[in-house]
Amino acid sequence: MEVTLLGTGDTTGTPTVGCDCDTCERARDPDADLRGRLRARGVDPDDGVERSRFSVYVRNDETGESLLVDASPDFRHQFLTQDVPLPDAAIVTHVHFDHLDGLGNAYRLFDDLPVYAADETDPVTGESVAEGIRSRYDYLDTVSVHAQTPYEPFTVAGFEVTLVPVEHPPLLCYGLRIEEPESGAVLAISGDTCYEIPGRSKAALSDADLALVEGIVHHEACEYHPAGGTHRDDDGIPRTFGTKHMTLDGARDFAADVDAAAYRIVHTAHFVPADRAFADDIAVDGERFSL
C-alpha cells in the first residue's frame, strides 16, 4: 500500500488566502531548517509548504488500483502537482465542502467514478452522506454512488474498507480503516472528529501501520472558541477544540490510544503558531508512505 497525502489542511488551507500571519508567511518562505526537515520527509519545499484541503490517495500495489479519500476543492491542483494518476474509486467521509466539493472535477475526467459513502440517515440533514452526494451531483453522469453500512467491511480497489463512525457534531462523519488483505497493511483515518468517540470505533481504528489523525489547532486556542475546550487530560489540557475537532494534544493522545505504529496529524489550521505549526508529526502535502 502506498499512501500519498494530497491535502493536509483545514477548510481554508495553509497558506490561507490574504493572510500574512507568521505561519502563512513561513509556509510561503520556509527557512533553511524547515527546508531540510521537509526534504528528509521526502517533500520538495522549493515552492513553499502547502496544506491544501484534506484528501488522501491510496494505491494498492497488489492490484494496481487506487482509492481517493475525500474529494478536496483543491482536486485539480493536487493532481497537477502530485505524481499520482486519477483514482479508480473514491470515498467521502462527510458532506462538508472541504471534503466533498472537489467531486465536481469528475466532469470530463472520468468515464465512471464509483463513490462510496455511508447509508446512515443524518437527523440534521434528513439524508445519508450517500444520498447527499447523489442529490448534489445528480448532474454528473460519470459519478455512481454506492451506499455502505458503517462498521460493515466492503471491498473497493482491492482494499477491505470499513466506515467508522466518529463524533463531528452536528453532522454524521466517519473515519476509515483501509486494509490490504495480501500484506495486511492497515491505514487508519480518524476523520474530522472530537477526541471522544465510541469504543467500537476506537477499536476499529487501532493497530494501524499508519494513522492519519485530525488535529486542527493548539490547545491554547480553546480559550477563543465559544464552547471552549473539552475532553481534558490529567493536566487539564483540552483534547477537543470546541465540540468537533481535536487539538494537537488530543491528536497525539488519540494516536497513542489506537496504538498506531506511525502517525501524522492532518486537517491542521494556520492558526497554530509558526514555531509549532511545522513539527515533524504534523503532515504537509506531498508526504508519501509505503506500508
Side-chain angles (χ1 to χ4, degrees):
M1 183 192 300
E2 184 178 77
V3 179
T4 302
L5 307 187
L6 298 180
T8 58
D10 71 330
T11 189
T12 65
T14 302
T16 292
V17 173
C19 182
D20 61 359
C21 75
D22 289 346
T23 297
C24 288
E25 288 300 303
R26 191 175 184 205
R28 294 186 184 101
D29 185 18
D31 59 22
D33 172 71
L34 180 54
R35 287 172 183 267
R37 289 192 288 113
L38 290 174
R39 288 195 176 95
R41 290 159 64 177
V43 176
D44 183 357
D46 286 345
D47 293 324
V49 182
E50 186 152 14
R51 291 188 177 124
S52 59
R53 274 71 69 89
F54 182 79
S55 191
V56 179
Y57 185 92
V58 190
R59 184 181 184 276
N60 189 321
D61 292 330
E62 293 292 329
T63 67
E65 298 171 281
S66 58
L67 179 63
L68 182 69
V69 176
D70 284 342
S72 168
D74 297 309
F75 182 105
R76 178 179 178 276
H77 172 71
Q78 291 168 351
F79 279 89
L80 285 173
T81 57
Q82 303 300 331
D83 186 22
V84 293
L86 291 171
D88 295 291
I91 298 177
V92 173
T93 60
H94 65 299
V95 296
H96 279 154
F97 100 99
D98 53 325
H99 297 258
L100 173 62
D101 280 11
L103 198 56
N105 288 274
Y107 183 64
R108 294 183 180 175
L109 295 185
F110 296 89
D111 294 326
D112 176 56
L113 179 65
V115 178
Y116 295 78
D119 64 2
E120 191 176 19
T121 300
D122 192 319
V124 174
T125 65
E127 59 185 8
S128 67
V129 177
E131 290 168 334
I133 296 168
R134 285 196 191 101
S135 62
R136 292 185 192 202
Y137 294 100
D138 58 355
Y139 65 93
L140 288 177
D141 294 337
T142 54
V143 170
S144 58
V145 183
H146 303 264
Q148 302 294 325
T149 301
Y151 292 126
E152 294 185 8
F154 59 95
T155 300
V156 56
F159 295 115
E160 183 177 277
V161 179
T162 306
L163 286 159
V164 180
V166 292
E167 297 291 335
H168 188 54
L171 300 180
L172 294 183
C173 184
Y174 304 88
L176 293 169
R177 180 183 178 89
I178 301 173
E179 182 168 356
E180 200 288 298
E182 292 297 320
S183 65
V186 175
L187 169 67
I189 301 176
S190 74
D192 284 14
T193 185
C194 69
Y195 175 78
E196 290 288 350
I197 65 172
R200 184 180 181 186
S201 295
K202 190 163 280 191
L205 296 173
S206 292
D207 301 317
D209 296 284
L210 174 66
L212 303 178
V213 184
E214 195 253 19
I216 197 165
V217 291
H218 53 304
H219 70 84
E220 293 93 337
C222 292
E223 67 179 282
Y224 303 106
H225 194 291
T230 54
H231 306 134
R232 296 175 183 271
D233 65 15
D234 292 341
D235 295 321
I237 294 173
R239 293 180 285 203
T240 293
F241 174 68
T243 61
K244 60 184 181 180
H245 293 284
M246 281 189 269
T247 62
L248 299 180
D249 300 85
R252 289 170 178 132
D253 286 351
F254 190 96
D257 292 345
V258 299
D259 199 22
Y263 75 95
R264 282 290 187 272
I265 300 173
V266 296
H267 204 268
T268 303
H270 71 121
F271 298 114
V272 179
D275 61 346
R276 285 188 272 173
F278 304 99
D280 289 342
D281 64 350
I282 305 179
V284 298
D285 292 9
E287 287 194 82
R288 281 185 168 84
F289 302 86
S290 292
L291 309 184

